[in-house]
Amino acid sequence: IRFPKSTIMVSSNSVARHERSRALLMIHLLLATMTFPICQGWTTVTLPVGRHHHLQNYQSQQQQQQPPPLIVLSAVKQKRSSAAVPVAQKEDVPANIAGSEFFGGNKEKEQFYDAEAEETAGLALLEEDTPPQEDATVTPRDTAQPLATVESSHQQETTATAAAAPFDRFASREAFTSDEVATVARQLQMALNQVLYDDAEEDNDNAMFLSYASTLQWTSPFAKGEAASNPLQALEQALPDYRRIDVAMTSGRVLSPNTLELTWEISVVWPTFWEPRVILMGSSIITLSDDHQQITQQRDQIFGDQEALVVDQLTPRFWDIYHIGMTPSAEQSPMCTIKKEGQFQIVEVPGRWMVTPTMVDTPEEGTQKCSANVLPFHAFNCIIKTVGPTQQRYVPTTPLEIQIQSSTTTNNPTLQWQVPLSIEFQSQLQWPSANPTPDEEAPATSTTSYTWQPPRRLAVMEFGGEGPQDATEIPAARKRLYDAVTQKNYAIQFNDQERPKFNFYKNAFKG
């Protein structure tokens, strides 16, 4: 939904103006939902880009006036999402069955419930009567079967244990290029968690040793609070201004022996009635002391235009309004438009951590291929209660990225989904396994893993067809995009099969 700038009021100096702004915004929202077109997705082609993604320096604070907060909340630490951290479930209360006494029943349905009898009720039906052995001699065939069963059971137990092992993103050398970078990033994440969360986990294997120097030289586009001498103090002072703040360290590299560049993601829940989530991504160039025990200098940069990104994410999105009351507002991965080229536009996408399920598409004969429209069952690693007295809070993300890769051995393509991880989830030092309980019905070629998606430059074209497996419109859209990009003399990246890398962004997805 796009509103004229004159109708968007994201700040106010008084409660009365805020109420009038909210009323005007809702009126425009109701009118806009009747007439605006919906873009179902984008078709993209990947262009070459170096490791250094472009960052636009933020203008001086004197040129950018900070609006006053709309709502002031108490400065207390936050609790993590109950979907990420297990919580004790409340015991179910026996339900009252209305009118049961009239039919001779009992009002409390669990009065005659015997848990032990229920557990053993079906065992007798599963047991098979085996005749007594007349000969106690054990043949080689009899001994082979139990051995195979034990070995198979041990192998399944080992596989399940390996699948359920937690994931440590700091051990990934695709995101963190060295042990030194990974150690500093972990230390900063631990310090951030202690400031933001009252249930911050402790890492017994990595004690806190890194701190900010008292003479820190800090340059940042973010507004610094009073008496805030380092980012941790400024973050603590900013907690009352928003409904929620989450920060995650995502990657890093070495610039010089004492200078590192770390990338981060910040998510805030804006204090408005529909509670939009605003994501800002950027990097910090930090200088360490000679003993690597203190940070002496830090210079922060934000990816893209901060004002444009904030306004775009504050504007109500159709699917957030459509799902209001059912799901929270989604975290939208930011894109920075570099140039518009007629039918397509060049955008830069910062690096992000994704959960990446894959599956070989094997549709039944005569059915339409539409498996890519829905995430497979093995992409989920837990169950979340979204309603009821014990409902759990969670954070959805958008958009979903889909890639269809042809196979050299079979005629069936391989489907790959990439779902961005929420920043609150990434703030954990260790992540739960991407697939702790593999789906027994899923094919052996199905996988689920965490992957680091590096910064990219994409050529993006809008697409409003049925989906990524549309047999008629998708090939035509890909050809139009490929021809338009090559006519502008842009170089295109190719996959291992010497084919252009095409992706499909599904904007209607919240996961």
Side-chain angles (χ1 to χ4, degrees), residues 282-449:
S283 66
S284 297
I285 299 177
I286 63 175
T287 302
L288 301 174
S289 58
D290 294 337
D291 58 357
H292 288 200
Q293 300 291 320
Q294 289 185 332
I295 299 176
T296 59
Q297 294 182 10
Q298 178 169 326
R299 180 165 57 89
D300 302 332
Q301 294 176 313
I302 294 179
F303 171 83
D305 185 357
Q306 179 185 7
E307 182 179 356
L309 289 173
V310 171
V311 172
D312 182 67
Q313 296 179 76
L314 284 179
T315 305
R317 296 188 292 266
F318 172 79
W319 293 110
D320 284 337
I321 297 299
Y322 186 81
H323 295 145
I324 194 168
M326 295 183 290
T327 62
S329 297
E331 288 184 351
Q332 183 179 24
S333 299
M335 290 184 178
C336 182
T337 302
I338 303 300
K339 190 177 182 181
K340 294 185 178 180
E341 295 281 5
Q343 298 183 17
F344 66 95
Q345 57 184 356
I346 305 298
V347 300
E348 284 191 346
V349 182
R352 291 213 72 180
W353 278 98
M354 308 276 189
V355 57
T356 306
T358 62
M359 184 184 70
V360 176
D361 189 19
T362 55
E364 296 182 1
E365 186 176 356
T367 60
Q368 184 180 2
K369 294 183 178 180
C370 57
S371 301
N373 291 331
V374 182
L375 282 174
F377 185 77
H378 64 271
F380 303 91
N381 66 349
C382 66
I383 299 176
I384 301 175
K385 288 187 177 182
T386 59
V387 295
T390 59
Q391 62 179 338
Q392 297 172 283
R393 187 179 59 81
Y394 62 98
V395 182
T397 59
T398 189
L400 170 68
E401 186 174 344
I402 305 170
Q403 189 176 75
I404 303 176
Q405 304 170 350
S406 59
S407 176
T408 57
T409 57
T410 63
N411 295 328
N412 298 322
T414 299
L415 306 180
Q416 175 181 285
W417 298 265
Q418 287 192 328
V419 184
L421 294 175
S422 68
I423 298 177
E424 182 180 353
F425 181 86
Q426 295 182 65
S427 67
Q428 301 176 98
L429 296 179
Q430 287 189 332
W431 303 341
S433 173
N435 192 14
T437 55
D439 184 10
E440 298 179 356
E441 299 181 359
T445 54
S446 302
T447 62
T448 305
S449 60

Side-chain angles (χ1 to χ4, degrees), residues 184-350:
V184 174
R186 182 190 293 272
Q187 290 284 309
L188 288 176
Q189 187 67 69
M190 293 170 61
L192 291 168
N193 291 351
Q194 291 179 4
V195 172
L196 295 175
Y197 310 112
D198 60 358
D199 55 350
E201 68 272 36
E202 296 181 359
D203 192 347
N204 297 325
D205 298 331
N206 298 275
M208 285 289 297
F209 65 86
L210 187 67
S211 62
Y212 282 101
S214 58
T215 58
L216 173 69
Q217 299 179 13
W218 179 32
T219 304
S220 178
F222 297 106
K224 302 177 183 179
E226 298 180 0
S229 60
N230 59 61
L232 297 178
Q233 295 178 3
L235 189 63
E236 187 175 8
Q237 294 180 8
L239 277 174
D241 296 336
Y242 304 94
R243 299 285 174 85
R244 187 170 185 88
I245 300 179
D246 298 293
V247 186
M249 310 300 297
T250 56
S251 67
R253 62 192 182 103
V254 179
L255 300 180
S256 66
N258 286 345
T259 305
L260 312 175
E261 182 182 13
L262 300 176
T263 62
W264 39 259
E265 300 176 2
I266 297 180
S267 172
V268 300
V269 178
W270 210 263
T272 57
F273 65 96
W274 72 89
E275 295 187 342
R277 292 184 177 271
V278 178
I279 293 182
L280 292 177
M281 300 183 181
S283 66
S284 297
I285 299 177
I286 63 175
T287 302
L288 301 174
S289 58
D290 294 337
D291 58 357
H292 288 200
Q293 300 291 320
Q294 289 185 332
I295 299 176
T296 59
Q297 294 182 10
Q298 178 169 326
R299 180 165 57 89
D300 302 332
Q301 294 176 313
I302 294 179
F303 171 83
D305 185 357
Q306 179 185 7
E307 182 179 356
L309 289 173
V310 171
V311 172
D312 182 67
Q313 296 179 76
L314 284 179
T315 305
R317 296 188 292 266
F318 172 79
W319 293 110
D320 284 337
I321 297 299
Y322 186 81
H323 295 145
I324 194 168
M326 295 183 290
T327 62
S329 297
E331 288 184 351
Q332 183 179 24
S333 299
M335 290 184 178
C336 182
T337 302
I338 303 300
K339 190 177 182 181
K340 294 185 178 180
E341 295 281 5
Q343 298 183 17
F344 66 95
Q345 57 184 356
I346 305 298
V347 300
E348 284 191 346
V349 182

Side-chain angles (χ1 to χ4, degrees), residues 154-164 436 438:
H154 174 72
Q155 182 178 3
Q156 292 178 1
E157 182 179 355
T158 304
T159 304
T161 303

